[in-house]
């Protein structure tokens, strides 16, 4: 099929490349002409494992093209996926001006039947607005359908997630749209939920909010564990074996970050409020998440007393491993708190240092984990990059002023670290 994807960001670009891999012909459109020019030279706008290889492969196969002109996308694809950003406004509400703008411009350029699909995460009832905006802006009477097809890929494993989804969700209001979208995803052979548009929109916000709730739940349990000498990892293991609970998203630590979970729960709280539902549970999920960062800093203070003039080494800055994404990364909050208390921060991240330089002032960026550890009073792990498990602990010990490790992700092997003479502190491992 001929498909168009509007927006070459974290969702749009992976979607475009994966559609090409599934055998479709795709055009990816973005109004950032520089980004498009770079993509035409196979230069990726962000780090995502496997993405560059796919883009190169299908630039060659001719199945993936790029354009900075929306009209090219409107002409080419029988189905047009909107994957532009829906950033949060100051009050947490999703800002849908990009979605509206794209949808208006699509309508103005449309000359024959098209299906316009929301791929970005949007609040319930956006489909209704899409339909209205398109109808208001058509130049001539052209038939069209709108649909919702939320994307569940995770950053860092986006390509794999897209091609191996747990489920595909399709929200439609016509038989023609249903048939076409089923045809688009037919190569993936994944369980598919076909529903109305509002339900599809809700599946996305409800899923991300539920995942966030799972994380905050285990983090609250971790707080209890710290007070009674219990081990949250064992508690999570014991809980997770119950198939009704499941073992995923029960990793306690400094909480969730990134541009999806934090912003989606805020947007869901906001839309629920607007509809007259006070989603207090989600407000608490967000509060517990914030609390985790304060708890981590408190753990450091418990070991170092005053933080003024102390040197803290930070390993890992991105909001999770295998991405360079710093958006709403817990590290920003944690480093902000450490700096406010007068500590000097020396940081290292395998991929996110470029992005981090833009949002972390006063931090010393180091070229490897050992240099970050040099002269530090405490080492804090904030992102679970696999290479941190393989460091030479003897060397780290030599570099540090005081051998204290605070593991914000319960990621390091505590026994190994302790064996090398460190004081090791995790989250919810029975030590405040
Ligand atoms: C999330 C959803 O998982 C995905 O389905 C949706 O499409 C986009 O939002 P993403 O933000 O890429 O994906 O990352 P995810 O793997 O969900 O992690 C989110 C945050 O939660 C990270 O900061 C991670 O470190 C944290 N997390 C995750 C925990 O603290 N504990 C866990 O058990 C799992």
């Amino acid at each position: 099929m001929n498909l168009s994807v509007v927006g070459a960001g974290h969702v749009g670009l992976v979607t475009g490349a994966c559609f090409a891999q599934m055998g479709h012909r795709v055009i990816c459109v973005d109004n950032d002409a520089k980004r498009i020019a770079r993509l035409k030279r196979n230069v990726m706008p962000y780090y995502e494992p496997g993405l560059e290889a796919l883009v190169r492969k299908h630039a060659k196969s001719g199945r993936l093209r790029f354009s900075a002109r929306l009209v090219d996308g409107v002409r080419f694809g029988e189905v047009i996926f909107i994957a532009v950003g829906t950033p949060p406004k100051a009050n947490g509400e999703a800002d849908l001006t990009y979605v509206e703008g794209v949808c208006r411009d699509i309508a103005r350029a449309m000359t024959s039947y098209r299906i316009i699909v929301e791929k970005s995460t949007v609040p319930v009832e956006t489909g209704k607005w899409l339909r209205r905006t398109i109808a208001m802006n058509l130049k001539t009477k052209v038939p069209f359908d709108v649909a919702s097809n939320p994307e569940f890929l995770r950053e860092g494993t986006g390509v794999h997630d897209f091609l191996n989804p747990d489920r595909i969700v399709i929200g439609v209001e016509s038989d023609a749209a249903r048939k076409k979208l089923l045809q688009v995803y037919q190569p993936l052979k994944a369980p598919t939920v076909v529903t109305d548009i509002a339900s599809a929109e809700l599946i996305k916000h409800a899923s991300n909010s539920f995942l966030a709730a799972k994380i905050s739940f285990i983090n609250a349990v971790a707080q209890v564990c710290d007070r009674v000498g219990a081990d949250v990892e064992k508690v999570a293991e014991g809980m997770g074996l119950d198939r009704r609970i499941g073992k995923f998203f029960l990793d306690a630590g400094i909480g969730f970050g990134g541009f999806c979970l934090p912003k989606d729960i805020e947007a869901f709280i906001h839309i629920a409020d607007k509809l007259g539902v006070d989603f207090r549970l989600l407000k608490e999920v967000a509060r517990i998440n914030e609390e985790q960062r304060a708890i981590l800093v408190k753990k450091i203070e418990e070991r170092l007393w005053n933080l003024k003039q102390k040197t803290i080494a930070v390993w890992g800055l991105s909001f999770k491993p295998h991405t360079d994404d710093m958006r709403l990364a817990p590290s920003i909050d944690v480093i902000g708190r450490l700096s406010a208390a007068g500590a000097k921060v020396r940081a290292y991240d395998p991929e996110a240092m470029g992005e981090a330089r833009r949002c972390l002032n006063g931090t010393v960026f180091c070229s490897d984990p050992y240099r970050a550890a040099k002269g530090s009073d405490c080492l804090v792990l904030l992102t679970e990059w696999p290479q941190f498990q393989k460091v030479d602990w003897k060397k780290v010990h030599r570099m540090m002023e005081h051998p204290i490790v605070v593991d914000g992700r319960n990621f390091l092997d505590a026994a190994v670290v302790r064996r090398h003479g460190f004081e090791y502190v995790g989250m919810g491992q029975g030590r405040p």
Side-chain angles (χ1 to χ4, degrees), residues 151-155 204 208 211 215 248-252 255-261 319-320 330 384 409:
E151 181 48 54
F152 299 96
L153 65 82
R154 293 162 301 171
E155 286 179 31
K204 175 68 190 195
N208 272 5
L211 291 171
I215 299 170
F248 299 106
F249 277 69
L250 286 180
D251 293 327
F256 54 84
F259 214 50
C260 289
L261 300 193
F319 83 97
K320 62 186 254 185
E384 62 277 37
R409 299 287 188 180

Side-chain angles (χ1 to χ4, degrees), residues 161-304:
D161 289 351
F162 192 98
L163 295 171
N164 303 276
D166 283 351
R167 80 304 209 181
I168 286 156
V169 174
I170 290 171
V172 282
E173 48 190 11
S174 84
D175 210 37
R178 183 182 65 85
K179 280 194 186 129
K180 272 273 183 262
L181 284 170
L182 286 177
Q183 204 183 329
V184 168
Y185 283 103
Q186 196 275 333
L188 293 186
K189 309 209 172 354
T192 303
V193 178
V194 180
T195 178
D196 59 283
I197 293 179
S199 302
E201 290 167 335
L202 273 171
I203 288 171
K204 175 68 190 195
H205 263 161
S207 300
N208 272 5
S209 301
F210 192 81
L211 291 171
K214 254 187 123 173
I215 299 170
S216 280
F217 185 90
I218 201 66
N219 280 333
V221 173
Q223 293 183 22
V224 178
C225 288
D226 269 341
R227 285 174 174 75
V228 296
D231 179 355
V232 74
E233 291 189 75
K234 282 287 160 200
V235 177
E237 186 187 339
M239 289 168 63
L241 285 169
D242 184 328
R243 269 176 296 172
R244 293 169 302 173
I245 297 174
K247 64 179 179 179
F248 299 106
F249 277 69
L250 286 180
D251 293 327
I254 48 171
F256 54 84
F259 214 50
C260 289
L261 300 193
K263 126 179 137 55
D264 289 356
I265 54 170
E266 290 304 328
F268 201 21
I269 291 170
H270 201 278
I271 187 79
D273 256 340
K274 226 172 169 175
L275 297 166
V277 179
D278 183 5
F279 214 145
R280 289 184 298 274
L281 176 65
L282 288 185
K283 293 178 185 166
E284 197 55 23
V285 167
R287 197 187 61 78
I288 294 170
N289 198 49
E290 293 247 318
E291 224 166 57
Q292 289 308 106
R293 289 101 197 247
I295 288 173
L296 177 99
V297 173
K298 186 109 191 306
K299 281 177 188 278
I300 304 169
E301 283 169 341
E302 292 282 336
R303 270 91 206 158
L304 298 182

Side-chain angles (χ1 to χ4, degrees), residues 105-147:
D105 293 346
I106 290 174
R108 288 182 181 158
M110 249 164 66
T111 52
S112 58
Y113 175 75
R114 291 289 179 268
I115 304 172
I116 297 99
V117 186
E118 325 158 338
K119 192 75 170 153
S120 315
T121 302
V122 291
V124 64
E125 294 197 313
T126 301
K128 196 175 83 181
W129 286 104
L130 238 62
R131 191 185 321 109
R132 192 178 153 79
T133 307
I134 294 170
M136 277 165 62
N137 286 285
L138 284 173
K139 289 266 195 263
T140 52
K141 213 170 161 12
V142 179
F144 70 93
D145 270 310
V146 296

Side-chain angles (χ1 to χ4, degrees), residues 297-298 300-301 304-312 333-345:
V297 173
K298 186 109 191 306
I300 304 169
E301 283 169 341
L304 298 182
W305 194 10
N306 297 301
L307 293 185
K308 204 166 173 186
Q309 301 299 329
K310 301 275 165 63
T311 302
I312 313 288
D333 192 354
V334 170
I335 291 177
R337 286 168 194 265
L338 293 173
S339 305
K344 288 178 281 181
V345 175

